[in-house]
mmCIF file of all heavy atoms in Angstrom:
data_model
loop_
_atom_site.group_PDB
_atom_site.id
_atom_site.type_symbol
_atom_site.label_atom_id
_atom_site.label_comp_id
_atom_site.label_asym_id
_atom_site.label_seq_id
_atom_site.Cartn_x
_atom_site.Cartn_y
_atom_site.Cartn_z
ATOM 1 N N LYS B 657 -72.567 -43.285 -50.778
ATOM 2 C CA LYS B 657 -71.670 -42.205 -51.153
ATOM 3 C C LYS B 657 -70.239 -42.674 -51.359
ATOM 4 O O LYS B 657 -69.854 -43.776 -50.975
ATOM 5 C CB LYS B 657 -71.676 -41.130 -50.048
ATOM 6 C CG LYS B 657 -73.063 -40.697 -49.611
ATOM 7 C CD LYS B 657 -73.021 -39.576 -48.591
ATOM 8 C CE LYS B 657 -72.313 -39.931 -47.287
ATOM 9 N NZ LYS B 657 -73.018 -40.941 -46.455
ATOM 10 N N MET B 658 -69.456 -41.789 -51.931
ATOM 11 C CA MET B 658 -68.036 -42.040 -52.135
ATOM 12 C C MET B 658 -67.300 -42.183 -50.803
ATOM 13 O O MET B 658 -66.393 -42.994 -50.665
ATOM 14 C CB MET B 658 -67.450 -40.855 -52.910
ATOM 15 C CG MET B 658 -65.997 -40.988 -53.274
ATOM 16 S SD MET B 658 -65.430 -39.472 -54.090
ATOM 17 C CE MET B 658 -63.862 -40.033 -54.782
ATOM 18 N N GLY B 659 -67.687 -41.359 -49.850
ATOM 19 C CA GLY B 659 -67.019 -41.374 -48.550
ATOM 20 C C GLY B 659 -67.957 -40.894 -47.460
ATOM 21 O O GLY B 659 -69.172 -41.010 -47.611
ATOM 22 N N ILE B 660 -67.392 -40.335 -46.382
ATOM 23 C CA ILE B 660 -68.113 -39.970 -45.159
ATOM 24 C C ILE B 660 -69.254 -40.968 -44.908
ATOM 25 O O ILE B 660 -70.393 -40.587 -44.677
ATOM 26 C CB ILE B 660 -68.623 -38.497 -45.155
ATOM 27 C CG1 ILE B 660 -69.467 -38.141 -46.377
ATOM 28 C CG2 ILE B 660 -67.485 -37.517 -45.000
ATOM 29 C CD1 ILE B 660 -70.245 -36.796 -46.204
ATOM 30 N N LYS B 661 -68.880 -42.254 -44.952
ATOM 31 C CA LYS B 661 -69.886 -43.308 -44.883
ATOM 32 C C LYS B 661 -70.474 -43.463 -43.477
ATOM 33 O O LYS B 661 -71.559 -44.003 -43.318
ATOM 34 C CB LYS B 661 -69.290 -44.629 -45.367
ATOM 35 C CG LYS B 661 -68.937 -44.558 -46.841
ATOM 36 C CD LYS B 661 -68.451 -45.865 -47.417
ATOM 37 C CE LYS B 661 -68.141 -45.626 -48.895
ATOM 38 N NZ LYS B 661 -67.788 -46.865 -49.607
ATOM 39 N N ALA B 662 -69.723 -43.019 -42.481
ATOM 40 C CA ALA B 662 -70.241 -43.115 -41.111
ATOM 41 C C ALA B 662 -71.195 -41.970 -40.801
ATOM 42 O O ALA B 662 -71.840 -41.967 -39.752
ATOM 43 C CB ALA B 662 -69.081 -43.123 -40.116
ATOM 44 N N SER B 663 -71.271 -41.014 -41.703
ATOM 45 C CA SER B 663 -72.253 -39.937 -41.547
ATOM 46 C C SER B 663 -73.504 -40.328 -42.316
ATOM 47 O O SER B 663 -73.440 -40.639 -43.507
ATOM 48 C CB SER B 663 -71.658 -38.639 -42.108
ATOM 49 O OG SER B 663 -72.667 -37.664 -42.258
ATOM 50 N N ALA B 664 -74.641 -40.323 -41.624
ATOM 51 C CA ALA B 664 -75.893 -40.749 -42.250
ATOM 52 C C ALA B 664 -76.426 -39.642 -43.148
ATOM 53 O O ALA B 664 -76.807 -38.582 -42.657
ATOM 54 C CB ALA B 664 -76.914 -41.108 -41.181
ATOM 55 N N THR B 665 -76.404 -39.879 -44.459
ATOM 56 C CA THR B 665 -76.951 -38.922 -45.420
ATOM 57 C C THR B 665 -78.304 -39.456 -45.870
ATOM 58 O O THR B 665 -78.391 -40.460 -46.559
ATOM 59 C CB THR B 665 -76.007 -38.767 -46.626
ATOM 60 O OG1 THR B 665 -74.696 -38.501 -46.159
ATOM 61 C CG2 THR B 665 -76.481 -37.647 -47.531
ATOM 62 N N CYS B 666 -79.365 -38.754 -45.461
ATOM 63 C CA CYS B 666 -80.704 -39.340 -45.570
ATOM 64 C C CYS B 666 -81.570 -38.660 -46.620
ATOM 65 O O CYS B 666 -81.462 -37.461 -46.864
ATOM 66 C CB CYS B 666 -81.431 -39.211 -44.229
ATOM 67 S SG CYS B 666 -80.567 -40.039 -42.888
ATOM 68 N N VAL B 667 -82.424 -39.458 -47.219
ATOM 69 C CA VAL B 667 -83.604 -38.938 -47.904
ATOM 70 C C VAL B 667 -84.698 -38.888 -46.841
ATOM 71 O O VAL B 667 -85.024 -39.915 -46.236
ATOM 72 C CB VAL B 667 -84.029 -39.849 -49.066
ATOM 73 C CG1 VAL B 667 -85.331 -39.345 -49.683
ATOM 74 C CG2 VAL B 667 -82.931 -39.932 -50.113
ATOM 75 N N LEU B 668 -85.230 -37.691 -46.585
ATOM 76 C CA LEU B 668 -86.263 -37.561 -45.548
ATOM 77 C C LEU B 668 -87.617 -37.272 -46.193
ATOM 78 O O LEU B 668 -87.739 -36.358 -47.004
ATOM 79 C CB LEU B 668 -85.915 -36.428 -44.580
ATOM 80 C CG LEU B 668 -84.793 -36.663 -43.575
ATOM 81 C CD1 LEU B 668 -84.748 -35.493 -42.566
ATOM 82 C CD2 LEU B 668 -84.939 -37.984 -42.829
ATOM 83 N N ASN B 669 -88.578 -38.068 -45.828
ATOM 84 C CA ASN B 669 -89.951 -37.798 -46.263
ATOM 85 C C ASN B 669 -90.715 -37.085 -45.155
ATOM 86 O O ASN B 669 -90.771 -37.575 -44.016
ATOM 87 C CB ASN B 669 -90.670 -39.103 -46.608
ATOM 88 C CG ASN B 669 -90.240 -39.622 -47.957
ATOM 89 O OD1 ASN B 669 -89.694 -38.874 -48.764
ATOM 90 N ND2 ASN B 669 -90.484 -40.904 -48.193
ATOM 91 N N PHE B 670 -91.283 -35.945 -45.503
ATOM 92 C CA PHE B 670 -92.165 -35.233 -44.572
ATOM 93 C C PHE B 670 -93.595 -35.496 -45.025
ATOM 94 O O PHE B 670 -93.966 -35.141 -46.144
ATOM 95 C CB PHE B 670 -91.860 -33.734 -44.577
ATOM 96 C CG PHE B 670 -90.494 -33.419 -44.013
ATOM 97 C CD1 PHE B 670 -89.363 -33.501 -44.808
ATOM 98 C CD2 PHE B 670 -90.353 -33.078 -42.673
ATOM 99 C CE1 PHE B 670 -88.111 -33.228 -44.281
ATOM 100 C CE2 PHE B 670 -89.109 -32.806 -42.142
ATOM 101 C CZ PHE B 670 -87.974 -32.882 -42.943
ATOM 102 N N ASP B 671 -94.335 -36.133 -44.172
ATOM 103 C CA ASP B 671 -95.681 -36.562 -44.550
ATOM 104 C C ASP B 671 -96.654 -36.020 -43.505
ATOM 105 O O ASP B 671 -96.884 -36.638 -42.472
ATOM 106 C CB ASP B 671 -95.697 -38.100 -44.594
ATOM 107 C CG ASP B 671 -96.969 -38.613 -45.241
ATOM 108 O OD1 ASP B 671 -97.733 -37.790 -45.781
ATOM 109 O OD2 ASP B 671 -97.191 -39.845 -45.199
ATOM 110 N N ASP B 672 -97.186 -34.813 -43.790
ATOM 111 C CA ASP B 672 -98.002 -34.113 -42.803
ATOM 112 C C ASP B 672 -97.298 -34.039 -41.448
ATOM 113 O O ASP B 672 -97.920 -34.233 -40.386
ATOM 114 C CB ASP B 672 -99.373 -34.811 -42.644
ATOM 115 C CG ASP B 672 -100.386 -34.241 -43.645
ATOM 116 O OD1 ASP B 672 -100.092 -33.197 -44.265
ATOM 117 O OD2 ASP B 672 -101.450 -34.854 -43.816
ATOM 118 N N ALA B 673 -96.027 -33.751 -41.521
ATOM 119 C CA ALA B 673 -95.246 -33.645 -40.282
ATOM 120 C C ALA B 673 -95.557 -32.315 -39.597
ATOM 121 O O ALA B 673 -95.676 -31.280 -40.253
ATOM 122 C CB ALA B 673 -93.760 -33.721 -40.603
ATOM 123 N N THR B 674 -95.685 -32.362 -38.297
ATOM 124 C CA THR B 674 -95.967 -31.138 -37.549
ATOM 125 C C THR B 674 -94.711 -30.272 -37.456
ATOM 126 O O THR B 674 -93.642 -30.759 -37.067
ATOM 127 C CB THR B 674 -96.456 -31.488 -36.129
ATOM 128 O OG1 THR B 674 -97.646 -32.255 -36.260
ATOM 129 C CG2 THR B 674 -96.729 -30.227 -35.320
ATOM 130 N N GLY B 675 -94.872 -29.010 -37.857
ATOM 131 C CA GLY B 675 -93.745 -28.096 -37.797
ATOM 132 C C GLY B 675 -94.153 -26.776 -37.165
ATOM 133 O O GLY B 675 -95.343 -26.470 -37.044
ATOM 134 N N PHE B 676 -93.145 -26.002 -36.762
ATOM 135 C CA PHE B 676 -93.399 -24.719 -36.108
ATOM 136 C C PHE B 676 -92.586 -23.647 -36.819
ATOM 137 O O PHE B 676 -91.366 -23.791 -36.989
ATOM 138 C CB PHE B 676 -93.019 -24.805 -34.635
ATOM 139 C CG PHE B 676 -93.664 -25.984 -33.949
ATOM 140 C CD1 PHE B 676 -92.968 -27.182 -33.772
ATOM 141 C CD2 PHE B 676 -95.000 -25.928 -33.530
ATOM 142 C CE1 PHE B 676 -93.559 -28.278 -33.174
ATOM 143 C CE2 PHE B 676 -95.595 -27.028 -32.937
ATOM 144 C CZ PHE B 676 -94.884 -28.206 -32.748
#
Side-chain angles (χ1 to χ4, degrees):
Chain B
K657 311 184 299 292
M658 183 183 194
I660 54 166
K661 294 185 180 186
S663 167
T665 309
C666 300
V667 175
L668 286 188
N669 283 341
F670 293 84
D671 191 8
D672 271 348
T674 300
F676 308 97

